[in-house]
Amino acid sequence: MTLQSFGVIGLAVMGENIALNVERNGFPIAVYNRSREKTDAFMAQRAPGRNVKAAFTLEEFVASLERPRKILVMVQAGKPVDAVIAQLKPLLDEGDIIIDGGNSWFEDTERRTQELEPVGLRFIGMGVSGGEEGALNGPSLMPGGTPSSYEYLSPILNKIAAQVDDGPCVTYIGPGGSGHYVKMVHNGIEYGDMQLIAEAYDLLKNVAGLSASQLHEVFTEWNTTDELNSFLIEITSNIFPYVDPETKKPLVDLIVDAAGQKGTGRWTVQTALELGVAIPTITAAVNARIMSSIKDERVAASQSLTGPSAKFDGDVKDFVNKVRDALYCSKICSYAQGMALLSTASQTYKWDLTLSEMARIWKGGCIIRAGFLNKIKKAFNENPALPNLLLAPEFKQTILDRQDAWREVIMTAAKVGIPVPAFSASLDYFDSYRRDRLPQNLTQAQRDYFGAHTYKRLDKEGTFHTEWVPIAEAKK
């Protein structure tokens, strides 16, 4: 019996598409899904003419694969992944490789690695970004695990990943859960990017008064610039001209303003808090989705809570250009925060991440693919120890040149009552990072006052505590 090169478990859309991607690139595949109906539908509708073998039991599936077996698990993160691994484990042989391609929590990946590697089974936690289209035509892949496991998989991964000018959008990330961690931070940056674009749209529509067709023109033009050329700007420009066939109105105006989330943005914020890394833009984006979800409550509040009566009376074209500058400056801050988090995680967990490679593999296939990732890659290539992207010469000069426009946009938003939490958080991040003295000297004095937490001084070495109450009483 001829054996297949690669196996895929889970035939939801992502699983189906990545299976077809593998087969198209010359690797015969075996597929299995818990529900036979899905397997039958896949074989009837998408597999004809392809080198695909369907299996209807895991025993049959495992037996159809050449050794060492390479099995990609594309099921819902959490308990379903554990369940599949538990079913596979007694069927596999030493050296076989299980790849978890879902959005798993990185600590779960670490645990699974520690459980499987000692018994001779290799485990890869691999972030996959690019949505349905990316999975089929070339995603960005972020595999973490042992180097030897990656070497076995690299001929396949290099072929199925998105291809850009400097290679396939895949690299060995690092050990353990590093691949899923990098994918999680990628998604956090994605949250920030999407919220910043939403705020730019809000300002252009509800402050400058641009119509859907004008918004399409603006975002189309922005997508031609080195600064903002990206997948998210491109799809945003494509959304505005779509007219609902029933109402003849722009469809975007009919969509309920309540955004969903699957948890990776929230995870990014949680782990940043645990590691002590400030990511205010990403945090603001997560909070914005939470706020959007209380739609009924907001509608009720809008009937009694009023805002400013000021109206925008400036030059529209000038304002559009300033929003563009504010968007780019904020975007730089969002990526700077994500990269700072990856840097700290790499040091904390001893992953030895190469940040220039993270930027490179995000250039194609993934949701945050953007032209300016070339600049991020260049910045970390020139200085791998760069503590923050804001200090890279090009990004530093960009913000210094455009910060007046950035500040003016946020002031205008405040005057007319338009919330711009991610724009504001980004500017706060920049202003906090650039200041040599922040007001937390007072915070530390307060902590020492009520809890004897001590403090350090600028003018002498050591740790100090003051009995503040007697001093205060003596002044009475």
Side-chain angles (χ1 to χ4, degrees):
M1 180 179 74
T2 303
L3 299 178
Q4 305 299 88
S5 301
F6 195 84
V8 177
I9 295 176
L11 291 175
V13 175
M14 286 290 288
E16 281 192 3
N17 282 358
I18 205 163
L20 294 174
N21 184 353
V22 172
E23 191 277 338
R24 187 182 67 248
N25 279 285
F27 303 96
I29 62 168
V31 297
Y32 170 80
N33 194 82
R34 184 170 55 89
S35 163
R36 178 169 184 144
E37 290 76 15
K38 272 196 174 291
T39 307
D40 287 337
F42 175 72
M43 296 302 294
Q45 298 167 13
R46 306 194 70 185
R50 300 178 182 273
N51 196 337
V52 181
K53 284 186 179 178
F56 299 98
T57 68
L58 279 176
E59 290 81 2
E60 180 186 357
F61 172 77
V62 169
S64 70
L65 295 170
E66 65 184 20
R67 294 184 58 190
R69 300 177 181 93
K70 298 171 281 291
I71 299 172
L72 175 63
V73 178
M74 296 293 290
V75 302
Q76 185 178 354
K79 291 182 180 179
V81 176
D82 286 323
V84 170
I85 291 173
Q87 292 170 318
L88 278 175
K89 194 173 176 181
L91 304 176
L92 300 180
D93 295 299
E94 184 174 352
D96 289 348
I97 306 170
I98 300 173
I99 311 149
D100 174 12
N103 278 330
S104 288
W105 174 235
F106 81 101
E107 290 183 353
D108 285 343
T109 305
E110 294 275 358
R111 169 179 56 79
R112 291 165 186 148
T113 300
Q114 292 165 9
E115 291 170 353
L116 293 171
E117 296 283 347
V119 297
L121 297 178
R122 292 183 279 190
F123 187 69
I124 289 282
M126 184 170 72
V128 179
S129 179
E132 299 173 15
E133 179 186 351
L136 181 63
N137 298 314
S140 174
L141 300 173
M142 293 152 259
T146 60
S148 62
S149 301
Y150 176 73
E151 288 304 315
Y152 254 113
L153 295 171
S154 61
I156 297 175
L157 301 184
N158 285 333
K159 284 287 187 69
I160 69 171
Q163 307 294 315
V164 293
D165 57 352
D166 48 6
C169 292
V170 60
T171 191
Y172 174 65
I173 300 296
S178 60
H180 277 138
Y181 193 96
V182 169
K183 173 56 163 51
M184 176 194 71
V185 174
H186 162 286
N187 285 21
I189 294 171
E190 178 185 311
Y191 272 55
D193 235 354
M194 294 176 72
Q195 178 61 25
L196 291 169
I197 292 171
E199 291 175 16
Y201 151 71
D202 199 5
L203 290 166
L204 297 179
K205 181 178 189 293
N206 294 308
V207 177
L210 269 58
S211 66
S213 62
Q214 290 171 318
L215 288 165
H216 166 67
E217 292 173 4
V218 167
F219 277 85
T220 300
E221 192 277 325
W222 284 359
N223 197 46
T224 65
T225 65
D226 288 340
E227 296 91 348
L228 294 179
N229 169 252
S230 67
F231 172 72
L232 285 171
I233 294 290
E234 177 187 347
I235 67 169
T236 302
S237 71
N238 291 340
I239 286 169
F240 292 123
Y242 193 95
V243 175
D244 174 53
E246 294 181 15
T247 64
K248 308 305 180 186
K249 296 179 180 179
L251 180 59
V252 68
D253 292 342
L254 302 175
I255 296 174
V256 175
D257 53 315
Q261 53 180 315
K262 292 187 175 180
T264 47
R266 183 179 70 251
W267 287 351
T268 307
V269 174
Q270 289 172 343
T271 186
L273 289 171
E274 290 169 359
L275 294 179
V277 179
I279 56 166
T281 306
I282 297 170
T283 302
V286 174
N287 286 338
R289 293 200 189 188
I290 294 170
M291 185 64 77
S292 78
S293 70
I294 56 169
K295 172 68 174 176
D296 292 343
E297 194 173 334
R298 289 187 291 110
V299 169
S302 71
Q303 306 302 310
S304 59
L305 300 178
T306 59
S309 58
K311 301 294 182 184
F312 175 73
D313 58 1
D315 180 85
V316 170
K317 185 176 181 180
D318 181 59
F319 185 69
V320 169
N321 290 334
K322 287 176 178 175
V323 171
R324 177 199 62 208
D325 290 345
L327 175 58
Y328 186 46
C329 290
S330 299
K331 184 184 179 83
I332 292 170
C333 289
S334 183
Y335 280 75
Q337 292 161 33
M339 289 299 188
L341 178 55
L342 287 179
S343 178
T344 299
S346 179
Q347 296 168 30
T348 301
Y349 301 117
K350 297 179 172 53
W351 286 335
D352 196 26
L353 301 180
T354 304
L355 296 186
S356 61
E357 275 290 274
M358 303 306 103
R360 186 191 68 78
I361 66 171
W362 291 344
K363 286 170 53 178
C366 70
I367 304 302
I368 65 170
R369 61 185 184 265
F372 98 129
L373 282 161
N374 272 317
K375 299 179 181 180
I376 296 178
K377 175 192 165 189
K378 179 173 180 285
F380 284 112
N381 272 336
E382 291 177 348
N383 182 5
L386 183 70
N388 195 292
L389 273 179
L390 296 179
L391 298 177
E394 181 168 345
F395 293 126
K396 176 182 74 174
Q397 196 58 50
T398 292
I399 289 184
L400 294 179
D401 291 343
R402 305 184 191 204
Q403 65 173 307
D404 288 347
W406 192 10
R407 296 178 191 280
E408 186 173 330
V409 165
I410 292 172
M411 286 191 292
T412 299
K415 286 180 180 177
V416 300
I418 297 290
V420 285
F423 273 25
S424 300
S426 300
L427 181 58
D428 289 344
Y429 180 76
F430 171 71
D431 280 338
S432 295
Y433 193 71
R434 70 175 181 79
R435 289 188 66 190
D436 66 343
R437 189 151 172 83
L438 293 169
Q440 274 62 50
N441 54 314
L442 176 58
T443 303
Q444 197 61 21
Q446 292 169 330
R447 294 181 74 242
D448 188 57
Y449 191 114
F450 64 68
H453 292 292
T454 73
Y455 56 87
K456 294 182 179 180
R457 294 176 56 124
L458 295 172
D459 57 347
K460 60 180 73 172
E461 294 295 322
T463 300
F464 302 88
H465 167 62
T466 295
E467 294 295 332
W468 299 90
V469 175
I471 294 173
E473 291 177 346
K475 294 290 185 180
K476 291 182 180 178

